[in-house]
Amino acid sequence: MAHLVLGAGYIGSELVRQLLERGERVVAFDNFFSTDEKDLDRFAGDPNFEIVRGSVTSSSELAHAFEAARPVEVVFNLSAQASANPAAAAPEYTEDTNLRGPRLVCEAVRKYGVRRLVYASSTRVYGEPLPEVVTEQTPYGRFSDLSHLSKCYAEKLLEMLCAGDELTGISLRLGLAFGVSPVMKSDYRYMTAPNKFALQAVRGERLTVNSSNWLGAIHVADAAAGFIYLAGLPSEPGYHLFNLAPIIVRIDEIAQMVATEAGGKGRPTAIDADVSTRVSRAKPTIRSKLTERGFEPKRTLQSGISETYRYFATRRSD
């Protein structure tokens, strides 16, 4: 049996890496819209790995992936236009990929008789600013971009599919991911703030901070490990929802941590902060049923910033 990973980008490639390390058979599926296919060459020599090129917006291309992975043990759906940056993609592309795509994935899951589907969602569904206390029962909040708005539709679609079916559907609401993975983006449009700031500091650029709202974050390796943990977690058929954002931080704090890291390496880095964005709200709490059930994230934000800065410093490209 195989694990089918839809979306082999920043988090998906780390998921592939960890699954292969466990000796699992893995089929990855990606259209390489914002990922360089060459980044996956490191897996090419592994007999347990196969890559299928295609889009989740095509039923026939999805079928190729499911056939390649057959029989499919678990489907991990990380395929999405994930960036909130309005320059990352046309609204039509985001809607097609993030709305139509999950529906076609769900149809393929049902067609091929897969019994477990794990969907990559986001704690951004709770809106900005975050409520004081966030649990899996906290209602959806206010949105500012199509990418995260689409998570609500995909979650409810999966919940609908699980009703009266034998499928175990799981949505994992991740915090902002950071750290080094097999696929590292260098286009600012597709980078999370910690990684983008690290690259900007290496390039000698100023760090621009336009928000100081609190947000949840997680190291990319812990995010991937969370997916694997859920894949093996005993669960009754039906829909299940978990948060995974163990670190609570503000963007201005991330910028300062990156600037301190760069300064310690002899590269002073300036920060441009919009003081009008500063807030006095208390630090929120994001609770997780996943950690309550035994999963333990291991990486800190500081370690992730340090490793990411070193990664870009050794591969400097101005």
Side-chain angles (χ1 to χ4, degrees):
M1 300 186 74
H3 292 72
L4 178 56
V5 178
L6 306 177
Y10 176 55
I11 299 177
S13 63
E14 175 63 19
L15 175 57
V16 168
R17 186 190 69 79
Q18 292 189 25
L19 286 169
L20 291 175
E21 282 189 350
R22 293 163 59 93
E24 304 287 356
R25 179 169 168 255
V26 181
V27 174
F29 180 75
D30 205 292
N31 69 349
F32 300 104
F33 171 75
S34 61
T35 296
D36 189 340
E37 190 171 0
K38 293 180 180 179
D39 290 340
L40 301 180
D41 286 348
R42 61 183 293 169
F43 304 128
D46 195 314
N48 286 326
F49 177 72
E50 181 176 353
I51 182 71
V52 177
R53 174 186 283 272
S55 170
V56 290
T57 63
S58 167
S59 296
S60 61
E61 291 172 1
L62 271 171
H64 287 310
F66 276 80
E67 288 289 348
R70 201 169 187 176
V72 182
E73 184 174 356
V74 182
V75 172
F76 298 97
N77 187 10
L78 293 84
S79 183
Q81 194 299 97
S83 177
N85 189 327
E92 292 79 8
Y93 179 85
T94 300
E95 289 171 342
D96 200 29
T97 303
N98 295 12
L99 300 179
R100 185 163 172 261
R103 176 176 63 79
L104 295 183
V105 169
C106 286
E107 290 177 0
V109 163
R110 176 170 287 172
K111 175 182 177 181
Y112 285 89
V114 180
R115 288 289 168 254
R116 182 162 297 212
L117 169 59
V118 185
Y119 172 68
S121 189
S122 168
T123 53
R124 290 281 294 274
V125 300
Y126 298 116
E128 293 182 305
L130 284 171
E132 184 176 344
V133 178
V134 174
T135 72
E136 284 84 353
Q137 286 71 48
T138 299
Y140 293 126
R142 183 183 62 183
F143 298 89
S144 58
D145 65 274
L146 290 176
S147 175
H148 293 98
L149 176 62
S150 67
K151 298 294 185 185
C152 302
Y153 170 81
E155 286 187 356
K156 299 304 287 186
L157 179 72
L158 182 54
E159 182 182 39
M160 183 178 72
L161 177 66
C162 291
D165 206 331
E166 291 300 311
L167 174 70
T168 299
I170 302 170
S171 289
L172 182 58
R173 290 175 174 172
L174 293 170
L176 181 77
F178 61 89
V180 176
S181 87
V183 170
M184 292 294 287
K185 308 295 177 71
S186 59
D187 185 327
Y188 294 159
R189 295 175 298 171
Y190 306 113
M191 299 178 73
T192 60
N195 292 8
K196 175 184 175 182
F197 286 160
L199 179 55
Q200 287 180 307
V202 167
R203 290 174 171 173
E205 299 173 2
R206 302 175 72 90
L207 312 184
T208 300
V209 176
N210 52 27
S211 171
S212 58
N213 283 326
W214 295 101
L215 52 84
I218 185 167
H219 192 285
V220 63
D222 284 331
F227 281 110
I228 294 172
Y229 192 85
L230 284 173
L233 192 67
S235 299
E236 295 294 324
Y239 181 67
H240 307 271
L241 176 62
F242 297 92
N243 292 327
L244 191 54
I247 299 165
I248 309 299
V249 67
R250 300 192 311 264
I251 296 293
D252 56 316
E253 291 180 327
I254 295 172
Q256 186 57 59
M257 292 174 71
V258 171
T260 299
E261 180 73 24
K265 301 295 190 297
R267 197 183 301 271
T269 300
I271 299 174
D272 292 330
D274 182 353
V275 295
S276 67
T277 65
R278 298 205 173 273
V279 295
S280 58
R281 294 172 58 89
K283 187 176 183 177
T285 298
I286 300 179
R287 295 176 181 162
S288 170
K289 293 190 297 183
L290 184 58
T291 55
E292 291 171 2
R293 296 182 68 170
F295 179 74
E296 297 182 5
K298 299 177 180 179
R299 284 81 171 178
T300 66
L301 178 59
Q302 183 59 64
S303 66
I305 286 175
S306 296
E307 72 179 17
T308 305
Y309 182 88
R310 288 195 303 271
Y311 173 88
F312 286 124
T314 58
R315 297 164 176 79
R316 184 175 178 183
S317 176
D318 292 325

